[in-house]
Amino acid sequence: MAPSLTEIIVADDPAVRNRSLDSICDGLDLEGLLRECRELEAFRRKSENLYERVRAIFFLHAIHRFHLPKRIPEGTRGGSIPFRGYEHLLNRRFEEAIESFLAMQEREGAGDGVSSALASAYHQLAFQTLANQVRRSVRSVSGNQWMFRMGHPDDHPLRVRDELFQSSGDGTYPILRERTPVRMDLSHCGWSDIFFLGMDYPDGARVLNISIDLAVHGRDLEPRPPVEAYLRVIDEPVLRLTSVDLGAKADIGQLSEVFDFARDYLGLLKAAVIASGMIPPGIEGSGARLAELLEGLVGPGRGIELVSSVNNIPKGSRLAVSTNLLAALVSVCMRATGQTRELTGPLEESERRVVLARALLGEWLGGSGGGWQDSGGVWPGMKLITGVEASEGDPEFGISRGRLMPRHRILDQADCSPETRRKLQDSLVLVHGGMAQNVGPILEMVTEKYLLRCASEWTARQESLGVLDEILAALRSGDVARIGELTTNNFRGPIQSIIPWATNAFTEHLIAEAEKSFGKDFHGFWMLGGMSGGGMGFIFEPSRKREAQARMQEIMSAAKRDMRHALPFAMEPVVYDFSINENGTSADLMVDDAALMPSDYYTARVPDLLRRSARDLPARERAELDKFAKACRTTPALGGMVQRLFDVMLPRADSADEDGRGLRELLSELGFDRAQHERIRSDLREGVIGLAQNRLRADSRIEDVRDSDVTDSRGWFAGDGGESERTAGVELLRNGEVGVVTLAAGAGSRWTQGAGVVKALHPFCRLGGRHRTFV
């Protein structure tokens, strides 16, 4: 006899444990499936094992979504959806929704409607359960626990280091800067860095990635760490947060604002402040005042400024920019508060692991999730990251098979010689194709397919583990061309067997054109991250790399022009120069004239400065702006409007009349229309325009739908009316004379989640070897 689904879940024998759901369900009738559902429901409610509970929930989801509807007799009316359960589902009260739907199924029998509702509720409950468990594990990791126990400012053990209070000759404070590379992955074994997969199947959780510095080819002088975080003391009792790349800034004076992630675009900085222990998570809701915490950290009347900057890497790069930025912010906060042995330089191995744990905490506090390989930029060079079995003493022991925190092994010269690293840099053309797509649905499907043990997915996952071993062997032998062959095979084989949507029409066109242009000198394609179209790599014969960089720019730009109306492009494609970063994240202390924030930080402050007279600026702020103005004059790249602005504001601070005339001249030169500005301001003040007008007119009437507005066809299919229409419809269906066209809606719209594309023209699905549009 075939085992039951609960027996599969608890089995120790891999041959039983790894059986697919389909292999059992295909041999069951309607009553057999319902019996399995009842057993799974009872099992998942009593099981204390995370893996067993989540797999049972996913089994229930798949049975109700894919298997039960095929067994329900035609014309069955049972299982309508209760409104109260639907309300619970909308409010994410999944347990209550499931109870309501199951009660309806018990009363009316199985039906398509209630099975669809149950499938949706189980699917969302599964991911909620996973997220809650990861959060618990993150909180329990050594190095994170103390932060949840601290509930009063007097208990705060951290203080900002003395070096950050030492004023320069001009009175400005030093700036601590953290510079972090991003990571690119040589191979992931079927998205195996997903937390749950690593925690359940540590032997299959293996990733090989590289820390790199970047430069835009043809624009920047040389590659540099693209992620930067800055911290300094300020003479105001506030927490000042600025995201240079997002153009967002805020002065936070209330503790509740620190924990309000939806308030603004500064959630990543807030998560870093909390996860680093600077504002411990345990203090939330304690009634403490932020001023008390800051006084303990930096002294009376002072505060902290934290600034993030990403140097020209767009969204969707697949280089884990946000996670490494979070790690950089966590690291700079930890250094500033004495949680690392050295204030500057690279981190020690034990410190890197704490930064990783805190970055994971920050991601889950902010709700972004992510994979554990994404913080790879914290480590130097090339490293193999692997899952680890949970053992006694680990917070995951008895809950999951693997640990949340992976193991990092930096590859030494025996694994990859300096010559091989140089050949890799001389062969790889790194690009951003310009597409920005949401990788979230991909990662959800990977988890779902793993838990259901879909046959093709499980086989592909084993193949990808073998590909990684072959890539490691090619690195040891210095065969870069072989690496290109392997990464291509991995992309076209295991990766697309698991998730076909990892590729797209744009990517396939680029690969075909590269093969056509370079023949045998094109060694292979390399997908970075969760899907292609954004960050990608193309491996060429080293002697043709420069030619390949120019040609790939031409190919990408031409393809983007041709497909711009059909695919979600966010930017013009670019080619990068890169170098392997052998330090990992590293910090330096900037003093005197070097103590400046990134140039765009000052540009973003222009509106605030224009509202103030230069004579009213505090002495430290005036000195800093003087330094920046000097940098503008000596650095051509910082010139232009910024230099003109400071020339107008700073030298003429003694004369309000001269300041005014200089500003008017500048505004006139830049095309400022004072009359139009006054009209807009007047309309805003009078309520003629504004957000309040973005609503229905006050005299609009909203009425309930009347019976006469709707054609109710339910009776036709129950045989109690409309027999001629029903007979005609069934006959048309039987003869294949009816087609249903869903244009620019359905699964495609849900997948792209509002991306700026004409949905019907999105070449999303591959049929007959070619990508097809919805039309």
Side-chain angles (χ1 to χ4, degrees), residues 318-335:
R318 312 291 177 239
L319 298 169
V321 173
S322 61
T323 304
N324 283 291
L325 177 58
L326 177 57
L329 290 162
V330 167
S331 182
V332 78
C333 290
M334 288 177 56
R335 292 179 191 269

PDB file of all heavy atoms in Angstrom, residues 318-335:
ATOM      1  N   ARG A 318      20.100  42.297  -8.918  1.00  0.00           N
ATOM      2  CA  ARG A 318      20.382  40.917  -8.510  1.00  0.00           C
ATOM      3  C   ARG A 318      21.757  40.794  -7.841  1.00  0.00           C
ATOM      4  O   ARG A 318      22.356  39.740  -7.827  1.00  0.00           O
ATOM      5  CB  ARG A 318      20.300  39.935  -9.686  1.00  0.00           C
ATOM      6  CG  ARG A 318      19.056  40.078 -10.529  1.00  0.00           C
ATOM      7  CD  ARG A 318      17.807  39.639  -9.790  1.00  0.00           C
ATOM      8  NE  ARG A 318      16.635  39.850 -10.614  1.00  0.00           N
ATOM      9  CZ  ARG A 318      15.605  40.614 -10.275  1.00  0.00           C
ATOM     10  NH1 ARG A 318      15.617  41.269  -9.140  1.00  0.00           N
ATOM     11  NH2 ARG A 318      14.566  40.759 -11.064  1.00  0.00           N
ATOM     12  N   LEU A 319      22.265  41.906  -7.308  1.00  0.00           N
ATOM     13  CA  LEU A 319      23.553  41.907  -6.621  1.00  0.00           C
ATOM     14  C   LEU A 319      23.382  42.059  -5.110  1.00  0.00           C
ATOM     15  O   LEU A 319      24.342  42.301  -4.401  1.00  0.00           O
ATOM     16  CB  LEU A 319      24.437  43.044  -7.158  1.00  0.00           C
ATOM     17  CG  LEU A 319      24.801  42.949  -8.644  1.00  0.00           C
ATOM     18  CD1 LEU A 319      25.446  44.241  -9.134  1.00  0.00           C
ATOM     19  CD2 LEU A 319      25.733  41.775  -8.903  1.00  0.00           C
ATOM     20  N   ALA A 320      22.154  41.906  -4.617  1.00  0.00           N
ATOM     21  CA  ALA A 320      21.847  41.981  -3.189  1.00  0.00           C
ATOM     22  C   ALA A 320      22.274  43.312  -2.596  1.00  0.00           C
ATOM     23  O   ALA A 320      22.849  43.381  -1.515  1.00  0.00           O
ATOM     24  CB  ALA A 320      22.509  40.825  -2.437  1.00  0.00           C
ATOM     25  N   VAL A 321      21.967  44.398  -3.301  1.00  0.00           N
ATOM     26  CA  VAL A 321      22.383  45.727  -2.850  1.00  0.00           C
ATOM     27  C   VAL A 321      21.739  46.078  -1.521  1.00  0.00           C
ATOM     28  O   VAL A 321      22.420  46.525  -0.587  1.00  0.00           O
ATOM     29  CB  VAL A 321      22.039  46.783  -3.923  1.00  0.00           C
ATOM     30  CG1 VAL A 321      22.320  48.181  -3.399  1.00  0.00           C
ATOM     31  CG2 VAL A 321      22.837  46.531  -5.190  1.00  0.00           C
ATOM     32  N   SER A 322      20.420  45.896  -1.388  1.00  0.00           N
ATOM     33  CA  SER A 322      19.737  46.340  -0.172  1.00  0.00           C
ATOM     34  C   SER A 322      20.230  45.577   1.052  1.00  0.00           C
ATOM     35  O   SER A 322      20.412  46.165   2.127  1.00  0.00           O
ATOM     36  CB  SER A 322      18.218  46.189  -0.326  1.00  0.00           C
ATOM     37  OG  SER A 322      17.865  44.838  -0.535  1.00  0.00           O
ATOM     38  N   THR A 323      20.468  44.272   0.911  1.00  0.00           N
ATOM     39  CA  THR A 323      20.926  43.488   2.058  1.00  0.00           C
ATOM     40  C   THR A 323      22.333  43.894   2.473  1.00  0.00           C
ATOM     41  O   THR A 323      22.635  44.013   3.671  1.00  0.00           O
ATOM     42  CB  THR A 323      20.885  41.990   1.738  1.00  0.00           C
ATOM     43  OG1 THR A 323      19.562  41.634   1.333  1.00  0.00           O
ATOM     44  CG2 THR A 323      21.291  41.167   2.937  1.00  0.00           C
ATOM     45  N   ASN A 324      23.212  44.125   1.496  1.00  0.00           N
ATOM     46  CA  ASN A 324      24.564  44.545   1.847  1.00  0.00           C
ATOM     47  C   ASN A 324      24.595  45.974   2.373  1.00  0.00           C
ATOM     48  O   ASN A 324      25.433  46.320   3.208  1.00  0.00           O
ATOM     49  CB  ASN A 324      25.488  44.387   0.634  1.00  0.00           C
ATOM     50  CG  ASN A 324      25.885  42.941   0.411  1.00  0.00           C
ATOM     51  OD1 ASN A 324      26.628  42.357   1.191  1.00  0.00           O
ATOM     52  ND2 ASN A 324      25.363  42.338  -0.658  1.00  0.00           N
ATOM     53  N   LEU A 325      23.665  46.818   1.907  1.00  0.00           N
ATOM     54  CA  LEU A 325      23.556  48.154   2.482  1.00  0.00           C
ATOM     55  C   LEU A 325      23.105  48.063   3.934  1.00  0.00           C
ATOM     56  O   LEU A 325      23.635  48.767   4.806  1.00  0.00           O
ATOM     57  CB  LEU A 325      22.572  49.003   1.668  1.00  0.00           C
ATOM     58  CG  LEU A 325      22.292  50.405   2.199  1.00  0.00           C
ATOM     59  CD1 LEU A 325      23.581  51.211   2.301  1.00  0.00           C
ATOM     60  CD2 LEU A 325      21.279  51.128   1.320  1.00  0.00           C
ATOM     61  N   LEU A 326      22.136  47.197   4.206  1.00  0.00           N
ATOM     62  CA  LEU A 326      21.705  46.995   5.587  1.00  0.00           C
ATOM     63  C   LEU A 326      22.861  46.497   6.445  1.00  0.00           C
ATOM     64  O   LEU A 326      23.063  46.966   7.575  1.00  0.00           O
ATOM     65  CB  LEU A 326      20.548  46.004   5.618  1.00  0.00           C
ATOM     66  CG  LEU A 326      20.005  45.616   6.997  1.00  0.00           C
ATOM     67  CD1 LEU A 326      19.545  46.839   7.769  1.00  0.00           C
ATOM     68  CD2 LEU A 326      18.863  44.616   6.860  1.00  0.00           C
ATOM     69  N   ALA A 327      23.652  45.556   5.919  1.00  0.00           N
ATOM     70  CA  ALA A 327      24.811  45.053   6.667  1.00  0.00           C
ATOM     71  C   ALA A 327      25.821  46.164   6.920  1.00  0.00           C
ATOM     72  O   ALA A 327      26.416  46.243   8.003  1.00  0.00           O
ATOM     73  CB  ALA A 327      25.460  43.906   5.896  1.00  0.00           C
ATOM     74  N   ALA A 328      26.034  47.042   5.921  1.00  0.00           N
ATOM     75  CA  ALA A 328      26.966  48.161   6.099  1.00  0.00           C
ATOM     76  C   ALA A 328      26.471  49.108   7.189  1.00  0.00           C
ATOM     77  O   ALA A 328      27.246  49.587   8.033  1.00  0.00           O
ATOM     78  CB  ALA A 328      27.138  48.915   4.781  1.00  0.00           C
ATOM     79  N   LEU A 329      25.166  49.396   7.182  1.00  0.00           N
ATOM     80  CA  LEU A 329      24.593  50.280   8.199  1.00  0.00           C
ATOM     81  C   LEU A 329      24.696  49.656   9.587  1.00  0.00           C
ATOM     82  O   LEU A 329      25.041  50.335  10.569  1.00  0.00           O
ATOM     83  CB  LEU A 329      23.133  50.574   7.858  1.00  0.00           C
ATOM     84  CG  LEU A 329      22.892  51.465   6.631  1.00  0.00           C
ATOM     85  CD1 LEU A 329      21.454  51.323   6.143  1.00  0.00           C
ATOM     86  CD2 LEU A 329      23.203  52.929   6.959  1.00  0.00           C
ATOM     87  N   VAL A 330      24.405  48.365   9.687  1.00  0.00           N
ATOM     88  CA  VAL A 330      24.533  47.664  10.972  1.00  0.00           C
ATOM     89  C   VAL A 330      25.978  47.705  11.441  1.00  0.00           C
ATOM     90  O   VAL A 330      26.272  47.980  12.615  1.00  0.00           O
ATOM     91  CB  VAL A 330      24.039  46.212  10.843  1.00  0.00           C
ATOM     92  CG1 VAL A 330      24.458  45.384  12.057  1.00  0.00           C
ATOM     93  CG2 VAL A 330      22.527  46.181  10.678  1.00  0.00           C
ATOM     94  N   SER A 331      26.902  47.448  10.530  1.00  0.00           N
ATOM     95  CA  SER A 331      28.320  47.412  10.891  1.00  0.00           C
ATOM     96  C   SER A 331      28.814  48.770  11.377  1.00  0.00           C
ATOM     97  O   SER A 331      29.530  48.863  12.386  1.00  0.00           O
ATOM     98  CB  SER A 331      29.146  46.949   9.681  1.00  0.00           C
ATOM     99  OG  SER A 331      30.511  46.870  10.018  1.00  0.00           O
ATOM    100  N   VAL A 332      28.448  49.847  10.689  1.00  0.00           N
ATOM    101  CA  VAL A 332      28.936  51.171  11.099  1.00  0.00           C
ATOM    102  C   VAL A 332      28.348  51.553  12.453  1.00  0.00           C
ATOM    103  O   VAL A 332      29.026  52.195  13.277  1.00  0.00           O
ATOM    104  CB  VAL A 332      28.627  52.234  10.013  1.00  0.00           C
ATOM    105  CG1 VAL A 332      27.176  52.691  10.040  1.00  0.00           C
ATOM    106  CG2 VAL A 332      29.567  53.425  10.128  1.00  0.00           C
ATOM    107  N   CYS A 333      27.098  51.153  12.736  1.00  0.00           N
ATOM    108  CA  CYS A 333      26.505  51.427  14.044  1.00  0.00           C
ATOM    109  C   CYS A 333      27.193  50.612  15.140  1.00  0.00           C
ATOM    110  O   CYS A 333      27.425  51.113  16.254  1.00  0.00           O
ATOM    111  CB  CYS A 333      25.008  51.111  14.016  1.00  0.00           C
ATOM    112  SG  CYS A 333      24.001  52.237  13.032  1.00  0.00           S
ATOM    113  N   MET A 334      27.522  49.358  14.838  1.00  0.00           N
ATOM    114  CA  MET A 334      28.214  48.534  15.814  1.00  0.00           C
ATOM    115  C   MET A 334      29.607  49.063  16.101  1.00  0.00           C
ATOM    116  O   MET A 334      30.049  49.100  17.256  1.00  0.00           O
ATOM    117  CB  MET A 334      28.290  47.078  15.311  1.00  0.00           C
ATOM    118  CG  MET A 334      26.960  46.339  15.348  1.00  0.00           C
ATOM    119  SD  MET A 334      27.076  44.658  14.671  1.00  0.00           S
ATOM    120  CE  MET A 334      28.373  43.947  15.692  1.00  0.00           C
ATOM    121  N   ARG A 335      30.319  49.467  15.064  1.00  0.00           N
ATOM    122  CA  ARG A 335      31.661  50.037  15.273  1.00  0.00           C
ATOM    123  C   ARG A 335      31.576  51.288  16.153  1.00  0.00           C
ATOM    124  O   ARG A 335      32.374  51.475  17.088  1.00  0.00           O
ATOM    125  CB  ARG A 335      32.296  50.406  13.938  1.00  0.00           C
ATOM    126  CG  ARG A 335      32.664  49.255  13.018  1.00  0.00           C
ATOM    127  CD  ARG A 335      33.249  49.804  11.732  1.00  0.00           C
ATOM    128  NE  ARG A 335      33.401  48.835  10.681  1.00  0.00           N
ATOM    129  CZ  ARG A 335      34.504  48.095  10.474  1.00  0.00           C
ATOM    130  NH1 ARG A 335      35.520  48.201  11.294  1.00  0.00           N
ATOM    131  NH2 ARG A 335      34.558  47.249   9.462  1.00  0.00           N
TER     132      ARG A 335
END
